Amino acid sequence: MSKKVKTILGILVLGLMLTIVSCKDAKKEDVTTKTEQVEKKEYASAYVCPMHCEGSGSDIAGECPKCGMDYVKNKDAATKTEQVEKKEHASAYVCPMHCEGSGSDKEGECPKCGMTYMKNEGHKANGHKH
């Protein structure tokens, strides 16, 4: 093989490797999971900005400090009481990610994400903690 062909192939391989590495990192930055959104104040508060401005959200009605829009009632917000009563929070064994509908009275794996259930230290058998 001539030196010119080897040089061209080397440059193409190097370019391909750089493209793969740079695209792989770009995907990680752009992905925001629903779990991450729910945990943020601008998605989880009782009242949220319609634009979901960063740092906005409140437990009382008001106005977004970033854009000035009136907060709207967040129909997806759950009170702590509602969360505790859900199976994914109240079972003897729970998914570490608290996937909706997961949880069991026996050890096992979450049917949604496949993670191993962990013992729920705050579990109250039959509603009693003794």
Side-chain angles (χ1 to χ4, degrees):
M1 213 185 297
S2 73
K3 188 175 181 177
K4 188 175 187 180
V5 173
K6 287 181 182 179
T7 304
I8 291 173
L9 284 175
I11 291 172
L12 287 174
V13 169
L14 182 62
L16 180 63
M17 289 173 41
L18 288 172
T19 302
I20 290 171
V21 170
S22 65
C23 289
K24 181 178 160 186
D25 291 339
K27 287 179 186 175
K28 287 181 184 177
E29 291 173 11
D30 292 340
V31 174
T32 302
T33 65
K34 188 169 183 158
T35 304
E36 289 170 331
Q37 289 179 345
V38 168
E39 290 174 356
K40 291 182 177 180
K41 182 179 173 185
E42 56 267 20
Y43 290 91
S45 299
Y47 291 89
V48 294
C49 174
M51 301 301 292
H52 298 290
C53 295
E54 189 172 339
S56 66
S58 174
D59 291 332
I60 58 172
E63 188 176 281
C64 175
K66 297 269 184 175
C67 70
M69 293 181 74
D70 289 335
Y71 283 146
V72 294
K73 181 93 172 132
N74 184 2
K75 65 180 184 213
D76 296 328
T79 65
K80 290 187 185 249
T81 306
E82 290 171 330
Q83 285 182 342
V84 170
E85 292 172 356
K86 289 184 178 179
K87 183 178 176 184
E88 60 266 19
H89 293 276
S91 299
Y93 291 90
V94 295
C95 173
M97 300 302 295
H98 298 292
C99 294
E100 189 172 338
S102 66
S104 175
D105 292 330
K106 300 181 258 179
E107 292 182 33
E109 291 183 353
C110 174
K112 299 248 180 176
C113 70
M115 293 184 75
T116 302
Y117 283 145
M118 59 185 212
K119 186 155 182 64
N120 184 0
E121 300 299 329
H123 176 66
K124 300 175 184 178
N126 297 324
H128 300 284
K129 189 174 184 180
H130 337 227

